[in-house]
Amino acid sequence: MRKTASAEQAGPAEKAGPAKKVGSTKKAASAKKAASAKKAASKTSASAAEKATKSASKSAAVKKAPAAKKVVVAPKKATARLKGAAPAKAVVHPPGDESRTALVRRARRINRELAEVFPYAHPELDFTNPFQLVVATVLSAQTTDLRVNQTTPSLFARYPTPEDLAAANPEEVEEILRPCGFFRAKTKSVIGLSKALVEDFGGEVPGRLEDLVKLPGVGRKTAFVVLGNAFGRPGITVDTHFQRLVRRWQWTGETDPDKIEAAVGALFPKSDWTDLSHHVIWHGRRICHARKPACGACPIAPLCPAYGEGETDPEKAKKLLKYEKGGFPGQRLNPPQAYLDAGGKPAPPLGAG
């Protein structure tokens, strides 16, 4: 009986054992499920964070401001010859930020510096009188002064006066002018202006702008070349070099020659106009070229807003210099003595190279 009682007492305990096991299993399953859910949540969170990071990165890339353009500064070496020039300054402010007074001062300083660089600057057409100069200037359209200078000796040897050229056979004149290009149109112009000089001005070239521009083939540019260099009357010659440089220097934003003439003329005393024209044109032909300006050899680099458009390495820039600045012959067959004294060389005659 005691044994039976003991067995009966032990029975419930033995039954409780499996119940405990089931509870433990459920607990483990619940924990496993919770861990799995946590892991999934963690993955979802990581994925969301990664997406957020990528999105933020993309947004930052879109909003990121473009890198500022590097400002090219004129080195000391390029400006060493300028007396009193501030060493290695950043490019000057464009007219939008530059006061009128500052623009006038900068423009006049550029002219003074160029006067030191080209003290021998002169018209690069050979002439001995106003008639020869007006004819040579008309012929220089769309060709080089060198080609004109190589052609006019034959023309003036045969037709030395307006009367002679007015009575010339057009076909004979065309043959002489053929090397200048557009020889038929130019023949018509020089014969026409010679007839006008004979008929309207007694065979003399007039010394007034309003009279000169009435001659066939003569515009304001040609008229100012004649007035400034044959009569000593100031004028601004707005040729292709002059137009290019004054826009590079930001003296004006105009593109019409007459408006450029007015805008630039207002920056200088009238007495400076003729020499200013020579300085700018000479600089454009020798250093500040249209396609490859020699920035590294430019004496006015610290004053130029366009510094860096061309070659800035001094040695490479030096190889781009032309005429006497590069050790080559000039454009005139008979240049002034001052030019020869400065190391300039005469141009060769036609057919000589």
Side-chain angles (χ1 to χ4, degrees), residues 248 287-296 306 309-312 317 320:
R248 269 187 184 162
I287 299 174
C288 195
H289 314 304
R291 293 185 181 177
K292 291 184 178 180
C295 295
E309 284 187 10
E311 181 58 65
T312 56
L320 299 174

Side-chain angles (χ1 to χ4, degrees), residues 74 99 128 160 207 325 347:
S99 70
T128 58
K325 293 301 180 184

